Amino acid sequence: MEPSAYTGKNAAEARDMDAVARFYVKCALWLGAHDQVFVDAYFGPAAVRDEALMVTVPPDRIAGYAADLLATLDRIDPDRLEGAGRMRHTHLREMIRALEARAGILAGESTTFNAETEALYGVAAQEDDPAWYDDLHAALDASLPGNGDLPVRYRAFMDSFVIPSGRLEPVFAAAFAESRRRTAERLPLPAGERLEIGYAAGEPWEAYIRYLGDGASLIRVNADLPVTVDRALAYACHEGYPGRHTMRVIREAALVRARGWIEHAVVTLASPLATVAEGAAVLGEEMIFPAPERARFFEEVLFPQAGFETADAALFDAVVTASAALNLTGNARVARGYLGGALPREEASLLLQNVLLLDPKAAQARIRFIEESRAYPVALNEGYRIVRDYVGDGPDRWERFIHALTDPLLPGELTSNDSP
């Protein structure tokens, strides 16, 4: 049984980008049945999802359908489209190319890690530099109390700031409330948007967010796992405000509902558009809590809520700043070395312990994450770097940040000489 009577070849007859987009969504949903991390959210028409999921389509066939859709777009002359239509044509092409590449990999096609990163995310992995972490280790060594082994000192320090289970709710509530307030001062939020925070137990994850559509997100925090106080604020900013939730609420309203661009109703984590979107979400915490305001928020709000000594807030903030940079860049470099074949699994685990300062259990969990998400850590690191450099520190930095956060953009659109 064919999965649908409507394929890219049919769409070519109508020269209809809406038809291309609708079939692309079905292809993405089909691929999501084989790749559990490919589709991060879907908030389009239920009928489209239900029709797609009535059947199972193998990856090689999905790759073939993607090739059909690209051929369709080749028959649509972008020069005959108005500005928004040209942008849509360009973005659809890159989204479909990433889908084709991912489907091909799942179908058994061989590729290098660097080629995979370029095809899926539109960026190149950084070349290795053995001394990349020296300055960050030096900053941590100077900040952390005591002497001796840096990983041991770092882990002992961070363990002292694990939020007691009975205080999780007030700490998270305060972090999300303040991140929302600060975001709304800069960026009007659509009416009716809402985010629910809940708590679970017995799960392998620390926390997750699910965008449900119609302006609503659900966040679940695992009350069984240790969560340090900085993670509460990182989740609030990256997953909530001004991060993923804010981004999806605005894009659903502006792109899916107002323009009818259904391709943006399926959020995939393998796309050049995801590179910029995820980079903007990471940068969000720095935008609404610039130094030294984050340290002050720790001292005045989150530390008292968690029951910690407020005198330690500035030191804690300095340690978190260095370790966050260490992890963002380090995850990308370990992924490139391990998945690219230059770094055996055991050496990758030791690198995570000795350089990123993880304990052995956390290092193994990080390896599993890299195996599952593959080039995503590279996209996250490069996306952050691209958006940070684009935003800059000029008087229009908030205008630029909002542009990167709310508009669908490719990496090249922020790095070109004529970017706004």
Side-chain angles (χ1 to χ4, degrees):
M1 174 181 175
E2 287 294 320
S4 172
Y6 191 51
T7 70
K9 291 182 179 179
N10 301 134
E13 298 172 1
R15 306 288 177 88
D16 185 352
M17 280 200 291
D18 285 338
V20 171
R22 189 179 182 89
F23 198 71
Y24 159 77
V25 168
K26 291 183 179 180
C27 287
L29 293 172
W30 287 330
L31 192 59
H34 302 281
D35 182 351
Q36 297 304 308
V37 300
F38 182 72
V39 175
D40 191 53
Y42 176 75
F43 42 90
V48 174
R49 179 191 59 220
D50 293 345
E51 180 183 345
L53 298 182
M54 286 176 61
V55 293
T56 299
V57 184
D60 61 337
R61 185 174 295 182
I62 298 170
Y65 287 145
D68 286 345
L69 291 174
L70 290 172
T72 296
L73 289 178
D74 284 342
R75 297 185 180 96
I76 302 175
D77 184 0
D79 291 337
R80 299 181 63 181
L81 301 172
E82 45 87 28
R86 286 195 298 273
M87 179 186 74
R88 187 187 189 193
H89 185 278
T90 298
H91 292 174
L92 258 176
R93 171 175 293 282
E94 295 307 308
M95 295 162 78
I96 295 168
R97 285 180 61 185
L99 172 77
E100 181 186 31
R102 184 62 185 148
I105 291 169
L106 291 179
E109 293 180 9
S110 178
T111 185
T112 66
F113 180 75
N114 287 348
E116 176 183 338
T117 304
E118 292 269 12
L120 296 183
Y121 295 105
V123 292
Q126 290 185 355
E127 293 297 322
D128 194 32
D129 174 8
W132 68 269
Y133 58 86
D134 284 354
D135 289 345
L136 294 171
H137 273 201
L140 285 169
D141 189 50
S143 299
L144 290 169
N147 298 296
D149 187 76
L150 182 62
V152 171
R153 291 162 57 209
Y154 169 74
R155 292 195 291 264
F157 179 83
M158 295 303 293
D159 285 347
S160 67
F161 293 99
V162 171
I163 305 169
S165 58
R167 294 178 178 259
L168 272 177
E169 289 194 39
V171 170
F172 270 79
F176 274 88
E178 182 63 11
S179 66
R180 187 185 188 282
R181 185 190 71 80
R182 290 178 178 232
T183 298
E185 287 181 346
R186 296 283 189 169
L187 176 61
L189 299 170
E193 66 82 22
R194 56 209 182 277
L195 188 154
E196 176 190 324
I197 308 172
Y199 300 86
E203 299 291 345
W205 36 259
E206 189 176 82
Y208 76 86
I209 182 171
R210 179 176 299 155
Y211 186 67
L212 306 175
D214 293 324
S217 287
L218 175 69
I219 285 185
R220 285 290 179 263
V221 179
N222 189 345
D224 282 349
L225 293 180
V227 180
T228 51
V229 67
D230 60 300
R231 301 304 299 153
L233 189 58
Y235 286 132
C237 298
H238 184 262
E239 307 295 353
Y241 308 95
R244 288 175 164 184
H245 167 74
T246 303
M247 182 190 309
R248 287 167 191 172
V249 168
I250 291 174
R251 292 187 183 191
E252 180 185 17
L255 301 176
V256 180
R257 298 190 180 279
R259 287 184 170 176
W261 290 1
I262 192 175
E263 64 270 29
H264 294 286
V266 60
V267 180
T268 71
L269 289 185
S271 162
L273 294 178
T275 301
V276 174
E278 292 296 294
V282 174
L283 185 64
E285 184 176 357
E286 297 175 32
M287 294 298 295
I288 62 172
F289 287 98
E293 291 183 29
R294 187 177 68 170
R296 187 179 305 120
F297 185 61
F298 282 142
E299 178 183 357
E300 297 176 355
V301 180
L302 295 189
F303 270 41
Q305 290 284 4
F308 300 143
E309 291 292 334
T310 58
D312 296 330
L315 172 60
F316 179 77
D317 183 69
V319 170
V320 166
T321 297
S323 62
L326 197 66
N327 275 272
L328 185 63
T329 302
N331 288 337
R333 291 182 179 276
V334 171
R336 181 181 184 273
Y338 174 48
L339 299 176
L343 199 61
R345 197 178 200 278
E346 184 176 348
E347 289 185 25
S349 179
L350 289 174
L351 189 62
L352 290 169
Q353 295 174 55
N354 297 329
V355 176
L356 272 63
L357 314 180
L358 303 181
D359 63 45
K361 184 177 179 180
Q364 289 303 309
R366 189 69 56 84
I367 289 287
R368 291 192 294 272
F369 168 75
I370 289 171
E371 290 170 339
E372 184 179 69
S373 62
R374 294 193 60 79
Y376 174 72
V378 174
L380 199 65
N381 184 57
E382 290 303 300
Y384 166 77
R385 181 186 59 80
I386 289 168
V387 175
R388 181 201 62 201
D389 291 350
Y390 168 75
V391 169
D393 56 4
D396 61 345
R397 65 192 308 265
W398 262 98
E399 178 182 341
R400 285 173 168 259
F401 174 68
I402 291 171
H403 176 51
L405 182 79
T406 60
D407 294 331
L409 294 165
L410 301 169
E413 291 174 313
L414 295 187
T415 56
S416 63
N417 292 330
D418 57 353
S419 61

